[in-house]
Amino acid sequence: MHRSIATVSLSGTLRQKLEAIAAAGFDGIELFEADFINFKGTATELRGIVADLGLSIDLYQPFRDFEGMPEAQFLRSLERAERKFDLMEAMGAPMMLCCSNTSPLSIDDPARAAAQLHELAERAARRNLRVGFEALAWGRHTSLYGQAWNIVKQADHPHLGLILDSFHTLSLKDDPAGIADIPGEKIFFLQMADAPLLAMDVLQWARHHRSFPGQGDFDVVGFFEQVLRTGYTGPLSLEIFNDIFRETPNRRTAVDAMRSLLYLESEARQRLAAVQPQRVELFNPPPVAALSGLSFIEFAADEASALTLDTLVRQLGFRRIGRHRSKAVTLYRQGEINFIVNAQPDSFARGRFEAHGTSVCALGVRCADPLAAVGRATAMRSKRHDSPVGPNELRVPAVVAPGGNLIHFVPEALGANGLYEADFILEDEAPEANDAGLAQIDHVALGLAVDQLDTWVLFTRAVLGLEAGESLELADPFGLIRSRGVANAGRSVRLVLNVSLSQRTRTARTLSVTGGGAVHHIALRCDDIFEAAARLRANGTRFVPISDNYYDDLATRIDLAPELLARMRAAGVLFDRSPAGDYLHIYTESFEGGLFFEVAQRVGAYDAYGALNAPARMASQAQD
Ligand code: MG
Ligand code: MG
C-alpha cells in the first residue's frame, strides 16, 4: 500500500516532521494547512523539499465550512478554494480534503450540498485536481459516512469522491459494514486513527486523544477490512491528533506510526486471505511467535550493588548456580525462575545504566523458534541486538524494546534451565537451603514515562503478540497512576505497564533516575503464599507493612472466612477477588529506594494483578 501520514500527527517544525516521516519509510504525507501557513518558504520550495526526501504530498487538508451554504457564502468559498488550488498546483498536491460543514449558517439540504460540491469539483477538474468529502463526527448536518456518500453520489462528479476516517465512524459507534457497498474507486482517501474508549465530548476526544492503530480500543482492523472489500487501492494514511504526540520526539512517533500501519495491514491481510484475492499488497511479516513463559530477568549492577543484590536475592530464596564462563555475570535460580546479575564493566547494560545503581536491563522469554521471533520483531521495525559471545557460549537473539531494555528469545527446546548451564560454570552450593517455594515469574511491572505507554501497548501487540487488558487509574498518595496489563493468550507472559500522571509519585521518581521504561517491580508466583511469606521472613526478607484498617475494610467488601482474614492480617498479605478466582500477594521493601518484588498466589482463573491493592502498597511506601 501507499503509506502516508498527516503532518499534524508529529511534533516539530514542518521540515523536521518531513525528515522524520521520510526516515520511518513513509511514501507520502497529508499536508495539514497550519503546517504550511507557518512554513517560512513558498509552496514551490516545499515541493522541492518533499521530493528530495522521496515523499509525495497526497492530500492538502482541511478545507472547512463549504457545503450547504447560502449563496453569498458559497460564492466566497469558491474564491477561497481557487486560492488553495493555486497553492496545491504549486506544491504538487493532487487532492483537497473538504470536511463536512460545522457552521451555524449551513443549511440541512443534501441536494444543495451536492450541487455546491459538484461546482467545487468542477473547478478542481479544470486544474486536474480532485476533492474528497469527509464526514466529521461533529459535522452540523453530515456526521456519518453514509450521509457523506449520499451527497457525493448525488453530486456525481468524477473529481469528487469520499474520504473515510475511522475515528469519525468508530467514535459515533456507526456500523462500518456499509462501507463495503461503496464502489472502491469513489473512495478517494483513507485516514486511520484509533482511540481509547472515553466518555467525553467527541470533538475533545478527536482533537486530543486519538492514537495510532493498535494503541487504542477501536476495531480499526475491522474498519480497514471493510474499506479493502470495496476494492480500494488508494493511500493508507494516519491522521492523529494527540496531545502527547505533539510533545514526543518525532522520530520515535514516526516509527510507532509506521509500526501501526504494518500491524494494521498484517492483521487485515489475515482476515481477508480467505475471502478474496487482494487488489493491493498488504504487509506480510513472519507470524507472531507463541511465547511460553518468562525465562529470566537480567539485572545490571556495579560491583558494590551486585554484592547487596546477592544478599537480597538469596533472602528471596534463590541459590547461586554459577558464574559465567567469560563475564562478570552470576546466575541465580529458584523453581523455574532465573535471575542473572550482570556486573560486567563494559556490558550493554552498564553502559546505559552506569549512574543508576541496579536496574533490570533484559528479560528472557521462551519460544519455540527464537529466530522467527526476531524476524517478526525486525519486520515490525524493532532493532535486533547481538551480544558478544565467547567460545562455547550460546547466542540468544534479542531485540531492543522501547526505552532500550533488551528482550531475549530463549529456545524452548533447551528446557526451563538448559540454556544457562551451557554458558555458566556451575557451583556446588548446597541446594534448597533458603528455597521459599517461588516457582515462576508471574509478571514484570514497568514504570513508563507518559509518552511511552502507547508505544509499549503497540510494541507488545505488534511485536510480541500480547493482548492489552483494561486501563485502570490508581491513587498514589501523591498522584494518579495509570496501569494496564498485557499478556499472551496462554497467560504465561504478563507485563504490567504503569504510567505516573504526576511527577511526585514513587513510580515517577523511579523513572527520573532511569530515564523511563524501567522495571518497577517483579512478581514471583508461588502455590502457598503463607508458607512462602513465612520462609522469606525467616530468610530476612522485609515486607511492606499493611495497615490494620485495610483488613477491617476488606472484611466489609468481600465475604471471607475469618481464619483466612486473620492469617492475611498476621502475614500482611493482600487480597483480591474476581468472578474467576482470587489473588493473594505481598510486596517486599524496595531495593536501593527503587525496584521491589511481589510474591503472588493465583487461585482459580484470576486474570489480573491486584491493582485495587496497589494504593495500599503505595500509601505504605509513602509512610516509610
Ligand atoms: Mg480526518
Ligand atoms: Mg504487581
Side-chain angles (χ1 to χ4, degrees):
M1 297 219 67
H2 181 94
R3 301 184 187 117
S4 191
I5 184 170
T7 53
V8 72
S9 314
L10 302 173
S11 68
T13 64
L14 181 54
R15 184 184 266 279
Q16 290 165 344
K17 292 179 191 211
L18 295 172
E19 285 168 356
I21 290 167
F26 282 89
D27 303 302
I29 62 159
E30 295 177 34
L31 182 63
F32 191 61
E33 184 167 66
D35 278 316
F36 178 71
I37 290 172
N38 302 323
F39 173 64
K40 281 190 181 156
T42 64
T44 315
E45 283 163 355
L46 178 62
R47 179 185 202 137
I49 294 170
V50 169
D52 284 348
L53 289 167
L55 296 169
S56 56
I57 302 179
D58 302 323
L59 187 71
Y60 184 87
Q61 65 120 317
F63 189 67
R64 295 186 196 278
D65 295 338
F66 175 79
E67 88 288 1
M69 281 301 219
E71 199 61 14
Q73 280 80 13
F74 166 60
L75 293 174
R76 268 209 299 280
S77 286
L78 278 180
E79 266 317 296
R80 182 160 59 96
E82 293 287 1
R83 300 294 72 80
K84 301 303 174 191
F85 291 158
D86 294 342
L87 285 176
M88 289 166 60
E89 280 189 312
M91 65 179 63
M95 196 189 306
M96 181 165 82
L97 177 149
C98 175
C99 54
S100 62
N101 205 325
T102 62
S103 163
L105 294 176
S106 66
I107 301 160
D108 186 8
D109 178 358
R112 173 186 289 257
Q116 295 182 346
L117 282 165
H118 182 99
E119 179 58 26
L120 182 65
E122 187 56 35
R123 302 286 185 103
R126 287 177 202 157
R127 307 176 190 234
N128 200 25
L129 300 173
R130 298 200 295 167
V131 176
F133 183 50
E134 176 194 32
L136 292 181
W138 54 94
R140 199 157 182 96
H141 306 297
T142 303
S143 56
L144 306 175
Y145 71 85
Q147 296 172 308
W149 168 231
N150 279 333
I151 291 171
V152 167
K153 220 171 15 182
Q154 262 188 73
D156 190 24
H157 194 290
H159 284 248
L160 180 72
L162 187 64
I163 291 186
L164 293 172
D165 180 327
S166 61
F167 181 84
H168 298 305
T169 299
L170 300 176
S171 63
L172 294 181
K173 299 194 169 65
D174 188 18
D175 185 358
I179 292 172
D181 299 329
I182 299 171
E185 65 277 7
K186 288 305 283 183
I187 301 172
F188 278 7
F189 203 85
L190 171 61
Q191 298 177 317
M192 293 297 308
D194 204 341
L197 292 178
L198 299 170
M200 69 190 302
D201 172 65
V202 70
L203 179 58
Q204 292 302 315
W205 192 11
R207 293 253 166 98
H208 303 283
H209 300 283
R210 294 194 214 192
S211 56
F212 293 125
Q215 293 182 331
D217 300 320
F218 285 168
D219 180 14
V220 283
V221 178
F223 183 93
F224 184 41
E225 182 189 345
Q226 296 309 317
V227 178
L228 290 170
R229 282 172 186 272
T230 67
Y232 176 77
T233 56
L236 169 61
S237 190
L238 295 162
E239 187 202 31
I240 314 295
F241 295 79
N242 181 298
D243 293 351
I244 291 170
F245 296 174
R246 287 176 192 274
E247 302 172 11
T248 309
N250 61 23
R251 295 275 166 155
R252 230 173 68 201
T253 310
V255 171
D256 277 355
M258 178 52 73
R259 179 177 289 150
S260 79
L261 286 188
L262 299 177
Y263 172 71
L264 183 64
E265 285 182 34
S266 61
E267 292 289 304
R269 183 190 175 92
Q270 286 180 21
R271 292 203 201 174
L272 284 169
V275 183
Q276 61 182 45
Q278 283 167 17
R279 298 193 51 193
V280 285
E281 194 166 327
L282 297 170
F283 186 59
N284 188 19
V288 110
L291 307 179
S292 57
L294 282 159
S295 163
F296 72 82
I297 293 174
E298 181 175 343
F299 302 82
D302 57 29
E303 287 75 4
S305 57
L307 286 176
T308 326
L309 196 55
D310 179 84
T311 308
L312 178 86
V313 160
R314 286 147 165 276
Q315 285 173 342
L316 283 172
F318 286 76
R319 65 196 174 95
R320 197 160 58 207
I321 294 292
R323 300 272 299 176
H324 196 274
R325 290 186 187 281
S326 63
K327 301 171 192 163
V329 175
T330 311
L331 171 66
Y332 300 85
R333 181 177 300 151
Q334 180 173 198
E336 292 180 14
I337 312 163
N338 293 286
F339 281 174
I340 294 172
V341 177
N342 187 339
Q344 182 76 4
D346 59 352
S347 74
F348 174 75
R350 282 284 291 284
R352 289 189 56 243
F353 295 102
E354 195 88 65
H356 313 312
T358 307
S359 15
V360 170
C361 59
L363 300 177
V365 290
R366 274 192 294 273
C367 64
D369 186 349
L371 285 177
V374 168
R376 167 78 183 189
T378 53
M380 286 294 176
R381 298 293 199 267
S382 286
K383 285 209 168 61
R384 181 185 171 127
H385 178 87
D386 289 302
S387 312
V389 176
N392 302 323
E393 291 170 15
L394 285 169
R395 183 178 287 281
V396 184
V399 296
V400 183
N405 280 3
L406 297 181
I407 295 188
H408 290 270
F409 295 101
V410 181
E412 260 159 21
L414 291 171
N417 301 323
L419 161 73
Y420 314 98
E421 287 165 7
D423 285 3
F424 287 84
I425 298 162
L426 303 184
E427 286 184 8
D428 287 330
E429 196 181 339
E432 316 298 324
N434 316 318
D435 193 291
L438 308 184
Q440 276 125 12
I441 300 166
D442 184 84
H443 62 269
V444 174
L446 299 151
L448 305 176
V450 172
D451 64 5
Q452 286 185 321
L453 180 61
D454 286 333
T455 295
W456 268 87
V457 168
L458 179 60
F459 169 78
T460 54
R461 258 185 191 153
V463 174
L464 302 178
L466 306 186
E467 303 161 3
E470 68 177 320
S471 183
L472 302 170
E473 280 184 357
L474 314 170
D476 176 283
F478 300 108
L480 280 183
I481 305 288
R482 181 168 295 142
S483 181
R484 189 155 201 195
V486 292
N488 64 344
R491 297 296 188 262
S492 56
V493 175
R494 294 174 179 271
L495 302 176
V496 176
L497 310 175
N498 289 322
V499 165
S500 176
L501 305 178
S502 148
Q503 295 305 309
R504 298 186 57 223
T505 64
R506 176 176 282 254
T507 305
R509 280 181 282 134
T510 320
L511 279 180
S512 60
V513 292
T514 54
V519 170
H520 170 266
H521 71 267
I522 296 164
L524 306 172
R525 193 160 62 242
C526 64
D527 292 331
D528 182 342
I529 189 131
F530 297 107
E531 178 71 23
R535 290 205 218 159
L536 290 167
R537 280 201 169 91
N539 288 347
T541 298
R542 291 156 61 96
F543 293 103
V544 169
I546 299 302
S547 145
D548 254 345
N549 303 337
Y550 170 85
Y551 296 98
D552 295 343
D553 175 66
L554 183 63
T556 68
R557 290 192 286 117
I558 301 176
D559 197 13
L560 288 166
E563 314 78 67
L564 177 60
L565 186 68
R567 279 188 96 184
M568 292 196 289
R569 191 190 294 264
V573 167
L574 299 158
F575 184 86
D576 189 29
R577 172 166 288 171
S578 75
D582 293 347
Y583 188 70
L584 294 89
H585 59 145
I586 188 166
Y587 296 102
T588 72
E589 289 185 350
S590 56
F591 175 67
E592 292 177 348
L595 183 72
F596 55 93
F597 294 88
E598 176 182 355
V599 176
Q601 179 186 350
R602 288 179 186 272
V603 181
Y606 180 91
D607 191 28
Y609 306 89
L612 276 181
N613 293 321
R617 185 252 305 158
M618 295 188 282
S620 176
Q621 288 170 328
Q623 293 171 57
D624 279 356

